[in-house]
Amino acid sequence: MKISYLPAQDRQTLRLLRQTRSIEEVINILKGVLSRSVLFHSLMEYRKWFFMIPEEQLIKNQELLYGKAMILFLQGKLQESSKYRELLTSKKYSLLYDFMASKLSLDEMEENVLEIADIFPKDYVELTGARPCAINGLWDFTRYGQELISSNESKLEKIIKVLYEDEADDIIDIMKAECLYQQNKCYEALVILLGKIPILERKKDIR
């Protein structure tokens, strides 16, 4: 399989995994992978080795439990993923999984936003052109659309500003436009986009 799109660090790690001769080596390498902000499409390339690890060894490692839970989630195997989520006792990995799986309420996100920001793998947004899957895909925040549209400073806006810093305003405007479009308010959506697109073009931002 061609993996040239992966970061160099992941390509090197995958080559190393192919040369391993023991489960202990595999476990140590995968724990190292999860100790950094691994890209989610990179994480999927490690799935073969996660599924190699015996269950009794997997449940002893919170990092590996989180990794396998996320892989299953990304594969759409939600029941199996939830089984591993229930075994997570680490606040860090529980919080990260629940945030990525859209299992936190707005109040819970707001309460934990600084911790989420600290562990949030910002580089995963390369999957959607340097952007989170905020509008479509697994991380769909449009269920909060009415609050986003009607409030000048909604809880969701505050959360996005902490997580995405300089890019937050652009993300919020695009989310608002999508929410308006879903409500058949196409004119209002176009007004936002027509004001935003020239700015994004000047920034060479391909969202």
Side-chain angles (χ1 to χ4, degrees):
M1 177 185 240
K2 187 178 179 182
I3 56 172
S4 58
Y5 65 89
L6 292 174
Q9 190 172 9
D10 287 304
R11 295 200 300 272
Q12 183 179 357
T13 304
L14 286 164
R15 282 194 290 269
L16 187 61
L17 277 168
R18 292 190 185 96
Q19 298 167 9
T20 55
R21 294 291 178 266
S22 71
I23 286 295
E24 287 70 24
E25 284 183 275
V26 169
I27 288 172
N28 286 333
I29 292 169
L30 291 180
K31 285 172 72 175
V33 168
L34 290 166
S35 69
R36 55 188 170 83
S37 295
V38 62
L39 293 167
F40 280 124
H41 61 287
S42 297
L43 184 60
M44 290 297 287
E45 296 293 344
Y46 294 100
R47 61 190 181 278
K48 168 184 173 181
W49 289 277
F50 275 99
F51 289 115
M52 255 183 217
I53 301 171
E55 201 77 358
E56 62 272 14
Q57 287 179 277
L58 189 77
I59 60 176
K60 293 176 183 176
N61 293 279
Q62 290 289 295
E63 301 100 318
L64 300 181
L65 278 173
Y66 164 74
K68 188 165 183 179
M70 269 323 303
I71 287 171
L72 289 165
F73 180 80
L74 293 167
Q75 289 178 325
K77 298 175 181 178
L78 303 186
Q79 285 188 327
E80 291 179 66
S81 177
S82 294
K83 181 184 79 171
Y84 289 103
R85 164 61 185 92
E86 289 170 9
L87 297 173
L88 287 173
T89 55
S90 158
K91 184 176 181 183
K92 170 184 174 179
Y93 290 114
S94 300
L95 192 58
L96 189 54
Y97 177 94
D98 289 345
F99 178 74
M100 295 301 179
S102 298
K103 292 183 178 295
L104 297 177
S105 68
L106 273 179
D107 287 337
E108 289 171 323
M109 281 194 272
E110 186 178 39
E111 181 184 345
N112 295 285
V113 68
L114 293 177
E115 288 180 81
I116 293 169
D118 188 49
I119 57 177
F120 185 57
K122 292 183 176 64
D123 50 3
Y124 93 87
V125 300
E126 286 185 15
L127 277 173
T128 53
R131 198 58 68 256
C133 297
I135 294 172
N136 49 36
L138 296 172
W139 299 277
D140 186 351
F141 291 150
T142 52
R143 59 189 167 134
Y144 309 117
Q146 194 52 50
E147 182 185 359
L148 192 65
I149 294 165
S150 60
S151 171
N152 290 328
E153 186 71 3
S154 68
K155 287 180 183 177
L156 183 57
E157 286 189 55
K158 293 176 184 175
I159 291 163
I160 291 172
K161 285 177 179 177
V162 173
L163 292 177
Y164 295 102
E165 299 169 345
D166 293 342
E167 294 184 340
D169 288 339
D170 292 338
I171 292 169
I172 290 164
D173 282 343
I174 290 172
M175 290 173 68
K176 282 182 178 178
E178 178 66 14
C179 293
L180 286 164
Y181 182 76
Q182 289 178 356
Q183 296 178 13
N184 289 324
K185 296 177 179 177
C186 300
Y187 177 77
E188 292 94 328
L190 282 171
V191 168
I192 292 175
L193 290 176
L194 287 172
K196 184 59 60 176
I197 289 170
I199 297 170
L200 298 179
E201 286 178 342
R202 285 198 296 273
K203 290 181 178 179
K204 297 183 180 179
D205 191 339
I206 52 163
R207 72 194 68 214

